[in-house]
Amino acid sequence: MAYHDPYTPERCYFECYQCGYRSTASKLPGGCPECDGNVHNIAVARE
Ligand SMILES: [Zn+2]
């Protein structure tokens, strides 16, 4: 696992459904800071 993987499970990585805004945060925000749309956590382990 020497390569950089943006989907690091230790970090909360979220993406907005509406505008595609992505950011990291200590916890999932209530909504997108850009458009106030729904965000989802994409920091999930990939097989
Ligand atoms: Zn958004």
Side-chain angles (χ1 to χ4, degrees):
M1 292 289 197
Y3 66 93
H4 176 69
D5 188 341
Y7 295 87
T8 309
E10 298 89 56
R11 301 176 69 184
C12 180
Y13 206 92
F14 66 89
E15 181 181 63
C16 175
Y17 282 119
Q18 310 291 338
C19 69
Y21 175 85
R22 289 186 178 187
S23 186
T24 54
S26 56
K27 61 176 289 188
L28 203 66
C32 175
E34 293 291 306
C35 72
D36 205 34
N38 291 322
V39 295
H40 64 119
N41 190 353
I42 57 174
V44 292
R46 292 176 302 171
E47 304 284 307

PDB file of all heavy atoms in Angstrom, residues 16-21 32-39, ligand 1:
ATOM      1  N   CYS A  16     -20.611  16.099  -2.227  1.00  0.00           N
ATOM      2  CA  CYS A  16     -21.965  16.607  -2.369  1.00  0.00           C
ATOM      3  C   CYS A  16     -22.655  15.943  -3.555  1.00  0.00           C
ATOM      4  O   CYS A  16     -22.076  15.821  -4.625  1.00  0.00           O
ATOM      5  CB  CYS A  16     -21.908  18.123  -2.572  1.00  0.00           C
ATOM      6  SG  CYS A  16     -23.522  18.859  -2.897  1.00  0.00           S
ATOM      7  N   TYR A  17     -23.873  15.513  -3.326  1.00  0.00           N
ATOM      8  CA  TYR A  17     -24.651  14.917  -4.414  1.00  0.00           C
ATOM      9  C   TYR A  17     -25.018  15.967  -5.471  1.00  0.00           C
ATOM     10  O   TYR A  17     -25.159  15.667  -6.641  1.00  0.00           O
ATOM     11  CB  TYR A  17     -25.959  14.328  -3.871  1.00  0.00           C
ATOM     12  CG  TYR A  17     -25.822  12.995  -3.190  1.00  0.00           C
ATOM     13  CD1 TYR A  17     -26.164  12.847  -1.851  1.00  0.00           C
ATOM     14  CD2 TYR A  17     -25.385  11.880  -3.897  1.00  0.00           C
ATOM     15  CE1 TYR A  17     -26.075  11.614  -1.225  1.00  0.00           C
ATOM     16  CE2 TYR A  17     -25.286  10.648  -3.277  1.00  0.00           C
ATOM     17  CZ  TYR A  17     -25.633  10.521  -1.946  1.00  0.00           C
ATOM     18  OH  TYR A  17     -25.543   9.320  -1.327  1.00  0.00           O
ATOM     19  N   GLN A  18     -25.226  17.178  -5.013  1.00  0.00           N
ATOM     20  CA  GLN A  18     -25.758  18.221  -5.891  1.00  0.00           C
ATOM     21  C   GLN A  18     -24.702  18.812  -6.830  1.00  0.00           C
ATOM     22  O   GLN A  18     -24.909  18.888  -8.031  1.00  0.00           O
ATOM     23  CB  GLN A  18     -26.346  19.356  -5.043  1.00  0.00           C
ATOM     24  CG  GLN A  18     -27.311  18.901  -3.964  1.00  0.00           C
ATOM     25  CD  GLN A  18     -28.626  18.366  -4.502  1.00  0.00           C
ATOM     26  OE1 GLN A  18     -29.008  18.679  -5.626  1.00  0.00           O
ATOM     27  NE2 GLN A  18     -29.317  17.583  -3.709  1.00  0.00           N
ATOM     28  N   CYS A  19     -23.589  19.248  -6.247  1.00  0.00           N
ATOM     29  CA  CYS A  19     -22.595  19.979  -7.046  1.00  0.00           C
ATOM     30  C   CYS A  19     -21.265  19.254  -7.164  1.00  0.00           C
ATOM     31  O   CYS A  19     -20.381  19.694  -7.872  1.00  0.00           O
ATOM     32  CB  CYS A  19     -22.383  21.373  -6.455  1.00  0.00           C
ATOM     33  SG  CYS A  19     -21.548  21.375  -4.855  1.00  0.00           S
ATOM     34  N   GLY A  20     -21.122  18.133  -6.461  1.00  0.00           N
ATOM     35  CA  GLY A  20     -19.884  17.377  -6.560  1.00  0.00           C
ATOM     36  C   GLY A  20     -18.760  17.929  -5.708  1.00  0.00           C
ATOM     37  O   GLY A  20     -17.623  17.502  -5.829  1.00  0.00           O
ATOM     38  N   TYR A  21     -19.083  18.885  -4.835  1.00  0.00           N
ATOM     39  CA  TYR A  21     -18.088  19.445  -3.946  1.00  0.00           C
ATOM     40  C   TYR A  21     -17.513  18.366  -3.047  1.00  0.00           C
ATOM     41  O   TYR A  21     -18.243  17.550  -2.495  1.00  0.00           O
ATOM     42  CB  TYR A  21     -18.730  20.552  -3.100  1.00  0.00           C
ATOM     43  CG  TYR A  21     -17.822  21.129  -2.039  1.00  0.00           C
ATOM     44  CD1 TYR A  21     -16.939  22.160  -2.354  1.00  0.00           C
ATOM     45  CD2 TYR A  21     -17.871  20.658  -0.733  1.00  0.00           C
ATOM     46  CE1 TYR A  21     -16.111  22.687  -1.385  1.00  0.00           C
ATOM     47  CE2 TYR A  21     -17.054  21.193   0.244  1.00  0.00           C
ATOM     48  CZ  TYR A  21     -16.163  22.204  -0.081  1.00  0.00           C
ATOM     49  OH  TYR A  21     -15.353  22.720   0.888  1.00  0.00           O
ATOM     50  N   CYS A  32     -23.929  20.577   2.263  1.00  0.00           N
ATOM     51  CA  CYS A  32     -22.822  21.092   1.475  1.00  0.00           C
ATOM     52  C   CYS A  32     -22.579  22.568   1.772  1.00  0.00           C
ATOM     53  O   CYS A  32     -23.524  23.357   1.760  1.00  0.00           O
ATOM     54  CB  CYS A  32     -23.142  20.906  -0.004  1.00  0.00           C
ATOM     55  SG  CYS A  32     -21.923  21.618  -1.108  1.00  0.00           S
ATOM     56  N   PRO A  33     -21.318  22.943   2.044  1.00  0.00           N
ATOM     57  CA  PRO A  33     -21.004  24.355   2.296  1.00  0.00           C
ATOM     58  C   PRO A  33     -21.147  25.227   1.056  1.00  0.00           C
ATOM     59  O   PRO A  33     -21.232  26.445   1.149  1.00  0.00           O
ATOM     60  CB  PRO A  33     -19.549  24.316   2.792  1.00  0.00           C
ATOM     61  CG  PRO A  33     -18.985  23.051   2.233  1.00  0.00           C
ATOM     62  CD  PRO A  33     -20.143  22.079   2.170  1.00  0.00           C
ATOM     63  N   GLU A  34     -21.176  24.615  -0.098  1.00  0.00           N
ATOM     64  CA  GLU A  34     -21.275  25.354  -1.353  1.00  0.00           C
ATOM     65  C   GLU A  34     -22.722  25.598  -1.768  1.00  0.00           C
ATOM     66  O   GLU A  34     -23.093  26.698  -2.154  1.00  0.00           O
ATOM     67  CB  GLU A  34     -20.551  24.584  -2.466  1.00  0.00           C
ATOM     68  CG  GLU A  34     -19.044  24.499  -2.282  1.00  0.00           C
ATOM     69  CD  GLU A  34     -18.372  25.853  -2.452  1.00  0.00           C
ATOM     70  OE1 GLU A  34     -18.577  26.486  -3.490  1.00  0.00           O
ATOM     71  OE2 GLU A  34     -17.642  26.272  -1.531  1.00  0.00           O
ATOM     72  N   CYS A  35     -23.535  24.540  -1.721  1.00  0.00           N
ATOM     73  CA  CYS A  35     -24.898  24.666  -2.242  1.00  0.00           C
ATOM     74  C   CYS A  35     -25.965  24.200  -1.249  1.00  0.00           C
ATOM     75  O   CYS A  35     -27.140  24.207  -1.549  1.00  0.00           O
ATOM     76  CB  CYS A  35     -25.022  23.885  -3.550  1.00  0.00           C
ATOM     77  SG  CYS A  35     -25.014  22.092  -3.327  1.00  0.00           S
ATOM     78  N   ASP A  36     -25.504  23.775  -0.063  1.00  0.00           N
ATOM     79  CA  ASP A  36     -26.417  23.308   0.980  1.00  0.00           C
ATOM     80  C   ASP A  36     -27.156  22.028   0.577  1.00  0.00           C
ATOM     81  O   ASP A  36     -28.204  21.707   1.112  1.00  0.00           O
ATOM     82  CB  ASP A  36     -27.405  24.420   1.366  1.00  0.00           C
ATOM     83  CG  ASP A  36     -27.932  24.239   2.780  1.00  0.00           C
ATOM     84  OD1 ASP A  36     -27.184  23.754   3.644  1.00  0.00           O
ATOM     85  OD2 ASP A  36     -29.103  24.556   3.012  1.00  0.00           O
ATOM     86  N   GLY A  37     -26.587  21.307  -0.351  1.00  0.00           N
ATOM     87  CA  GLY A  37     -27.184  20.046  -0.780  1.00  0.00           C
ATOM     88  C   GLY A  37     -26.789  18.900   0.130  1.00  0.00           C
ATOM     89  O   GLY A  37     -26.023  19.077   1.083  1.00  0.00           O
ATOM     90  N   ASN A  38     -27.302  17.734  -0.162  1.00  0.00           N
ATOM     91  CA  ASN A  38     -26.992  16.556   0.636  1.00  0.00           C
ATOM     92  C   ASN A  38     -25.573  16.064   0.338  1.00  0.00           C
ATOM     93  O   ASN A  38     -25.175  15.972  -0.813  1.00  0.00           O
ATOM     94  CB  ASN A  38     -27.978  15.434   0.330  1.00  0.00           C
ATOM     95  CG  ASN A  38     -29.371  15.753   0.823  1.00  0.00           C
ATOM     96  OD1 ASN A  38     -29.535  16.337   1.878  1.00  0.00           O
ATOM     97  ND2 ASN A  38     -30.371  15.370   0.052  1.00  0.00           N
ATOM     98  N   VAL A  39     -24.846  15.750   1.390  1.00  0.00           N
ATOM     99  CA  VAL A  39     -23.506  15.201   1.227  1.00  0.00           C
ATOM    100  C   VAL A  39     -23.480  13.770   1.741  1.00  0.00           C
ATOM    101  O   VAL A  39     -24.276  13.387   2.590  1.00  0.00           O
ATOM    102  CB  VAL A  39     -22.449  16.049   1.966  1.00  0.00           C
ATOM    103  CG1 VAL A  39     -22.343  17.440   1.359  1.00  0.00           C
ATOM    104  CG2 VAL A  39     -22.757  16.132   3.458  1.00  0.00           C
TER     105      VAL A  39
HETATM  106 ZN    ZN B   1     -22.975  21.099  -3.066  1.00  0.00          ZN
END
